[in-house]
Amino acid sequence: MNARLLLLLVLLSSLIGGLFWAQQALTPPSPSQAFRRAQAVSGFPPRPRLPRSSPEARPPAPWSWLDSGNVVPADYPRRDFEQAPDLHRLALAVVGQAAQGSAVHAYLLYLALDECRIFLRLDAQSILPLYDRMLGIGTELSPHEQLQWAEQFNRCVGFAVYDWQPIGEALGQDRPRVNVEYAGAWFVRAVAAGHPPALVEKAFRPGELTSAQRQALVRRALGSDDPEVYWLLFLQAYDREQSAAIALPWLRLGCESGMDCRFHAPWFQLRFCVQQACSSAPSALAWFWQQLSSADRATADEIYQEMSAALAAGRIDDLPLPATLATRFDDSARRRLGEGPR
């Protein structure tokens, strides 16, 4: 009995073992298994695995400069404007310094008032119907546009609800009769005081300035190495010339100088990702780079190298300024600088 039981167990184990090895033979090898088998057949030894700490484990990317898009941005004025949850409060906080002649704070006032220009005409009674019309049932805004408008409402509603007359009173004799013109008055002061971003905006605005005068304003602004100057020139070249290869070098300079070039930077999301969500990218700088063809990437890199060398040598006159500076501006055909494709 014991002998029969032992024989049965041996046969059963043999059958199970045979089924196991048959299954292994029929199972397709995984890619790693196939690679190791091919190495064994070819006679090449397997490549040793590198430790994670080894610098060779992760070779540098061919475009490692794109990492500048993820650098923590510097503390520049427009960042205060972009990150302010309440522009009414920001405006009242800086009006005193602006009245004393601070070009930076005059420019911040201009940005806040210009962003909220629709709300300057409203009061507490008229603001709610506007909110319902824009975000209520039947709105024609896309979901992304609704989010953008809701954010603007929250940032600007203070001008419709609370008093902001000190902003006009601080202008003194330069105070316009219409409050919606306060933004322009503060912009004029920022330009007069030589604030570099204001000079760039002035250069691209419709008016009676000659091409030589416009170029002189931009070159004067470039001497400041202000990251916002590079960023404004990027917007001009990208929006008006429709050539990312020509525009991207300006953005790269701005990112390297401290501009916020992260993927979730407000300027990037509001100007380029409103109509439809932008595909994910390591940074805003990388997103624009991904849109370029190989030929355009080579062109952009060559232009950047020339611009970087010119800046390092102090040759501001050699920088390739946007072509629109050499053309006459038409009020009906030009949009306000900075709006972009909203």
Side-chain angles (χ1 to χ4, degrees):
M1 183 69 178
N2 292 335
R4 291 181 178 180
L5 179 60
L6 180 60
L7 179 61
L8 181 61
L9 290 174
V10 171
L11 292 175
L12 184 61
S13 62
S14 299
L15 177 62
I16 294 174
L19 292 173
F20 172 79
W21 291 113
Q23 177 68 22
Q24 290 295 308
L26 294 174
T27 302
S30 65
S32 58
Q33 291 174 332
F35 182 69
R36 286 196 295 270
R37 290 181 187 178
Q39 286 178 326
V41 172
S42 65
F44 289 103
R47 184 177 179 177
R49 292 186 177 182
L50 297 173
R52 290 182 180 272
S53 59
S54 171
E56 298 181 12
R58 293 183 178 181
W63 309 109
S64 57
W65 58 266
L66 287 171
D67 292 339
S68 63
N70 282 322
V71 174
V72 177
D75 186 18
Y76 55 92
R78 187 176 285 266
R79 249 193 110 200
D80 296 334
F81 160 74
E82 290 183 334
Q83 296 183 342
D86 186 341
L87 292 178
H88 172 264
R89 180 174 297 180
L90 173 67
L92 291 180
V94 303
V95 65
Q97 293 162 291
Q100 295 175 7
S102 170
V104 171
H105 294 94
Y107 189 68
L108 278 176
L109 269 179
Y110 150 69
L111 291 176
L113 293 170
D114 191 55
E115 175 74 11
C116 301
R117 57 192 179 277
I118 297 177
F119 296 81
L120 303 183
R121 299 177 180 271
L122 304 176
D123 55 26
Q125 293 182 346
S126 58
I127 194 66
L128 291 179
L130 175 64
Y131 184 89
D132 291 338
R133 186 169 69 253
M134 301 299 287
L135 299 180
I137 299 175
T139 178
E140 297 181 357
L141 299 180
S142 68
H144 281 83
E145 289 172 330
Q146 291 183 50
L147 289 175
Q148 178 193 3
W149 197 90
E151 180 180 357
Q152 185 183 22
F153 179 90
N154 292 330
R155 299 180 77 202
C156 296
V157 67
F159 286 102
V161 177
Y162 303 111
D163 177 42
W164 52 281
Q165 290 307 308
I167 297 174
E169 295 171 355
L171 288 168
Q173 296 180 350
D174 297 330
R175 180 178 182 177
R177 294 183 178 181
V178 184
N179 58 15
V180 293
E181 297 179 0
Y182 289 176
W186 286 112
F187 176 75
V188 169
R189 289 198 175 190
V191 171
H195 187 53
L199 296 179
V200 176
E201 285 208 38
K202 177 66 175 177
F204 285 95
R205 285 191 170 192
E208 298 302 322
L209 293 180
T210 65
S211 175
Q213 290 171 327
R214 297 179 187 280
Q215 293 185 40
L217 286 175
V218 173
R219 297 192 192 284
R220 177 183 171 191
L222 282 168
S224 67
D225 196 33
D226 189 317
E228 195 173 341
V229 168
Y230 299 132
W231 174 75
L232 287 169
L233 290 171
F234 157 73
L235 287 183
Q236 279 293 324
Y238 188 88
D239 188 29
R240 306 198 189 285
E241 299 182 17
Q242 297 298 314
S243 175
I246 296 175
L248 197 63
W250 290 113
L251 180 61
R252 182 174 171 183
L253 288 171
C255 298
E256 294 173 350
S257 299
M259 189 74 190
D260 188 355
C261 294
R262 295 172 295 184
F263 184 76
H264 295 290
W267 67 264
F268 173 66
Q269 290 295 322
L270 292 178
R271 286 175 171 81
F272 297 94
C273 305
V274 171
Q275 298 298 330
Q276 58 183 4
C278 292
S279 56
S280 180
S283 65
L285 180 62
W287 185 87
F288 286 107
W289 184 255
Q290 292 172 0
Q291 313 306 308
L292 299 180
S293 65
S294 298
D296 285 342
R297 289 181 180 182
T299 299
D301 190 62
E302 181 180 355
I303 294 174
Y304 166 80
Q305 298 299 336
E306 294 176 355
M307 292 170 60
S308 183
L311 284 170
R315 294 183 282 106
I316 303 296
D317 291 344
D318 292 344
L319 293 174
L321 301 182
T324 47
L325 282 174
T327 61
R328 188 173 182 84
F329 279 67
D330 179 1
D331 288 339
S332 63
R334 298 298 181 189
R335 290 177 289 174
R336 181 179 60 85
L337 174 66
E339 277 191 350
R342 281 190 166 185

